[in-house]
């Protein structure tokens, strides 16, 4: 069955200030997780779900990101001359991965505004939005499930995860009702980054969405919200309360997610993904055990 969703939008215009000075000249999306830029994992996820058409919404200083998904002719020529097939294939991996397109966000007016910038490319079809800070383990196919639920219900779908109540102020938080499917809920309320213990639940939006094109006019009408930014969460709340657009559903994800959005989580993501690797995993595992033993409580 052909997929009703054929385009992925990846907002990548953020300044990455949490990682300064590393992100002074390097886009945060290009920070390596083990030996691959974080953003490549996200593009690989889109391709695995059968959607190789990727639109990046970028800003200034994102040249390194564009270069990463383009050919590197000089480097390829040197590796070809050396007959280094293995490294050559690593260089080619990201070039051949997807059909990549770019649009600039211009004014940094928030996630909702970034998504609105995809309108000309996406047109009148549903599309997926993947946020670069989240890496979803390839053994836990979340995007595929969101696409399935979108197709079944003809509605917007977001990924939700239970988080510790101390973390709710960092996420969009949902109020939900059960459906007949155990991993699917209907969203009845949403609040972006609730402060001061006012979260209505501990169900947080993680950075995966499948959206209907009806979101665009809603985003256009959405006023700046939390942080003075146009919030995707606010537009989704408007969609959730409008039955004519099919409402908004959540898929509760219980799989493995690695957050690369702040420094501590970024280090954890590197370690978690590195111990799984065949090449460096065994060595790292035994070193971690030895190292942990040297740490005092
Ligand atoms: C964004 C969304 C938020 C969501 C989060 C997931 O926030 O606005 O609703 O929970 O992504 O990572 P950001 O982390 O970009 O500030």
């Amino acid at each position: 069955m052909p997929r009703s969703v054929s385009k992925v939008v990846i907002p990548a215009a953020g300044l990455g200030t949490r990682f300064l000075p590393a992100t002074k000249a390097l886009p945060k999306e290009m920070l390596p997780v083990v030996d691959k830029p974080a953003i490549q994992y996200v593009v690989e996820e889109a391709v695995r779900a059968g959607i190789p058409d990727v639109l990046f919404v970028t800003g200034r200083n994102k040249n390194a990101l564009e270069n990463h998904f383009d050919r590197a002719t000089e480097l390829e020529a040197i590796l070809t001359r050396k007959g280094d097939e293995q490294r050559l294939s690593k260089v080619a991996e990201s070039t051949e991965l997807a059909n990549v397109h770019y649009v600039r966000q211009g004014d940094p007016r928030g996630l909702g505004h970034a998504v609105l910038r995809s309108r000309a490319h996406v047109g009148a079809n549903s599309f997926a939005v993947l946020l670069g800070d989240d890496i979803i383990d390839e053994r836990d196919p979340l995007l595929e499930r969101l696409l399935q639920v979108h197709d079944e219900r003809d509605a917007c779908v977001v990924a939700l995860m239970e988080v510790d109540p101390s973390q709710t102020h960092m996420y969009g938080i949902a109020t939900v009702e059960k459906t007949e499917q155990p991993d699917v809920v209907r969203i009845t309320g949403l609040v972006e980054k609730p402060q001061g213990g006012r979260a209505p639940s501990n169900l947080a939006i993680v950075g995966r969405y499948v959206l209907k094109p009806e979101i665009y006019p809603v985003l256009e009408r959405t006023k700046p919200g939390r942080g003075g930014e146009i919030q995707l969460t606010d537009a989704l709340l408007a969609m959730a309360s409008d039955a004519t657009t099919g409402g908004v559903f959540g898929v509760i994800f219980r799989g493995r997610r690695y957050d690369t959005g702040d420094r501590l989580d970024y280090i954890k993501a590197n370690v978690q993904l590195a111990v799984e690797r065949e090449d460096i995993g065994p060595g790292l595992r035994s070193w971690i055990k030895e190292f942990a033993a040297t740490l005092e409580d």
Side-chain angles (χ1 to χ4, degrees):
M1 196 177 88
R3 270 259 132 84
S4 63
V5 174
S6 62
K7 288 179 178 161
V8 158
V9 174
I10 304 184
L15 297 175
T17 48
R18 287 183 203 162
F19 287 89
L20 282 169
T23 48
K24 184 179 172 190
L26 185 75
K28 72 165 176 174
E29 295 79 10
M30 288 301 294
L31 291 174
V33 176
V34 190
D35 52 8
K36 223 170 15 183
I39 199 70
Q40 190 175 328
Y41 290 86
V42 180
V43 176
E44 285 173 355
E45 181 189 340
V47 172
R48 271 199 309 277
I51 319 179
D53 185 308
V54 173
L55 176 75
F56 282 109
V57 184
T58 66
R60 298 171 66 80
N61 286 333
K62 300 290 175 171
N63 297 351
L65 190 152
E66 297 188 12
N67 290 341
H68 184 69
F69 291 100
D70 197 357
R71 296 205 68 141
T73 36
E74 207 178 61
L75 181 58
E76 286 173 45
I78 292 168
L79 293 171
T80 306
R81 225 177 300 134
K82 284 187 178 167
D84 192 339
E85 292 297 327
Q86 209 192 351
R87 293 205 170 97
L88 198 56
S89 74
K90 287 198 183 218
V91 173
E93 245 172 40
S94 53
T95 322
E96 291 160 5
L97 192 55
N99 305 319
V100 183
H101 311 267
Y102 299 91
V103 62
R104 290 268 192 133
Q105 186 174 2
D107 295 329
R109 292 170 58 205
L111 179 59
H113 177 248
V115 171
L116 196 48
R117 299 287 292 132
S118 69
R119 191 176 195 173
H121 180 79
V122 166
N125 303 297
S126 292
F127 60 104
V129 174
L130 312 187
L131 303 188
D133 284 349
D134 290 307
I135 295 176
I136 304 295
D137 196 292
E138 60 182 289
R139 294 163 291 185
D140 301 317
L142 171 61
L143 182 54
E144 284 86 340
R145 182 69 184 132
L146 294 185
L147 291 165
Q148 205 176 30
V149 173
H150 163 271
D151 287 1
E152 283 166 12
R153 300 193 179 251
D154 188 24
C156 291
V157 188
V158 304
L160 297 174
M161 259 188 122
E162 283 187 39
V163 296
D164 190 271
S166 66
Q167 307 286 298
T168 48
H169 66 283
M170 300 187 331
Y171 295 95
I173 301 294
T175 312
V176 302
E177 277 170 6
K178 279 187 186 162
T179 71
E180 69 291 353
Q181 290 170 297
D183 65 331
V184 181
V185 290
R186 176 185 281 280
I187 291 184
T188 57
L190 281 170
V191 44
E192 178 67 9
K193 305 198 173 97
Q195 307 290 306
R198 283 197 295 269
S201 80
N202 68 337
L203 281 176
I205 302 180
V206 288
R208 299 293 180 268
Y209 309 76
V210 177
L211 303 175
K212 291 179 64 173
E214 284 84 352
I215 194 88
Y216 288 124
V218 177
L219 278 169
E220 255 173 8
R221 290 195 297 270
T222 302
K223 301 265 183 306
R226 162 110 12 233
E229 297 189 333
I230 297 172
Q231 297 292 350
L232 180 57
T233 304
D234 294 343
L236 282 166
L237 174 62
M239 296 281 282
S241 3
D242 180 356
T244 61
T245 60
V248 180
F249 289 84
V251 164
I252 312 233
F253 181 60
R254 299 189 200 280
R256 285 154 283 198
R257 159 189 176 251
Y258 313 100
D259 185 357
T260 61
D262 76 40
R263 289 172 303 169
L264 180 59
D265 287 331
Y266 170 76
I267 304 280
K268 289 182 192 169
N270 272 276
V271 174
Q272 285 170 303
L273 285 160
V275 294
E276 301 282 349
R277 289 268 299 256
E278 273 177 24
D279 48 0
I280 54 174
L284 181 61
R285 273 170 197 269
S286 51
W287 177 80
I288 288 175
K289 287 180 196 153
E290 281 167 34
F291 181 62
T294 69
L295 299 176
E296 289 172 17
D297 286 335

